[in-house]
């Protein structure tokens, strides 16, 4: 029995010395080394789907009474071909104002521009710009004074349809 006990103790010592009783050590994984290589810079633009809302309409200016003109702005209300129509409605400056510039900032971010030039006729001088079916297309109208100054006379959102 002593021989068996001594043999068993020797076997345990040999196993401990050999490392067979310890859990296996984790092997270190090599870390990849990054090598700097010259790369040509390429810029790519990707469009992110966003909802564009034009800036809030601001204050407008008033022309002197002898240069005053009026422009009506409204949507045609057609879903198939939405248009925003700018119509000259007259004023004391009808023969004095050389040009009226119009701008439509659509709800999708597209900016459309147009001009009305002399001769300005009441109700027949119009500019039609493509709009959207949203209710936040922003219309702006500038009158060019005889002195060459641009005066913002209209700045509002144009509703797609107006219900009475």
């Amino acid at each position: 029995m002593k021989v068996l006990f001594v043999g068993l103790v020797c076997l345990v010592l040999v196993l401990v010395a050999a490392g067979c009783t310890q859990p296996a050590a984790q092997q270190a994984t090599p870390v990849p080394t990054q090598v700097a290589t010259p790369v040509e810079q390429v810029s790519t633009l990707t469009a992110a789907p966003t909802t564009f809302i034009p800036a809030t309409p601001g204050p407008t200016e008033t022309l002197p009474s002898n240069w005053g003109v009026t422009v009506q702005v409204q949507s045609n209300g057609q879903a198939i071909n939405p248009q925003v129509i700018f119509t000259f409605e007259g004023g004391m400056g009808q023969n004095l104002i050389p040009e009226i510039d119009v701008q439509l900032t659509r709800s999708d971010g597209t900016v459309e521009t147009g001009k009305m030039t002399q001769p300005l006729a009441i109700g027949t001088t119009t500019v039609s710009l493509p709009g959207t079916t949203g209710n936040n297309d922003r219309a702006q109208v500038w009158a060019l004074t005889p002195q060459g100054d641009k005066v913002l006379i209209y700045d509002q959102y144009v509703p797609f349809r107006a219900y009475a």
Side-chain angles (χ1 to χ4, degrees):
M1 179 98 152
K2 281 185 180 185
V3 175
L4 188 58
F5 181 70
V6 172
L8 190 57
V9 170
C10 285
L11 181 63
V12 169
L13 287 176
V14 170
L15 288 176
V16 170
C20 294
T21 60
Q22 298 176 357
Q26 294 182 353
Q27 294 181 354
T29 55
V31 178
T33 312
Q34 294 184 355
V35 178
T37 57
V39 176
E40 183 179 324
Q41 295 276 338
V42 177
S43 298
T44 57
L45 299 176
T46 56
T50 59
T51 302
F52 176 79
I53 298 177
T56 304
T60 58
E61 301 173 68
T62 304
L63 288 167
S65 61
N66 59 332
W67 292 346
V69 291
T70 306
V71 175
Q72 178 187 19
V73 182
Q74 64 184 16
S75 172
N76 67 354
Q78 296 176 0
I80 295 174
N81 184 22
Q83 297 285 315
V84 175
I85 303 163
F86 299 80
T87 306
F88 180 74
E89 292 201 326
M92 292 187 70
Q94 178 175 351
N95 295 323
L96 301 173
I97 299 295
E99 180 179 284
I100 297 174
D101 295 333
V102 298
Q103 176 177 310
L104 180 68
T105 306
R106 297 174 14 167
S107 58
D108 62 3
T110 306
V111 177
E112 304 281 345
T113 59
K115 292 181 187 273
M116 295 180 195
T117 56
Q118 284 290 350
L120 297 171
I122 298 172
T124 58
T125 302
T126 62
V127 172
S128 182
L129 300 175
T132 64
T133 56
N135 285 327
N136 54 356
D137 290 347
R138 180 182 179 191
Q140 295 172 296
V141 178
W142 289 272
L144 187 66
T145 66
Q147 297 166 335
D149 300 325
K150 279 181 94 169
V151 178
L152 181 65
I153 59 171
Y154 185 93
D155 187 5
Q156 292 183 10
Y157 289 124
V158 180
F160 171 63
R161 286 194 180 132
Y163 298 100

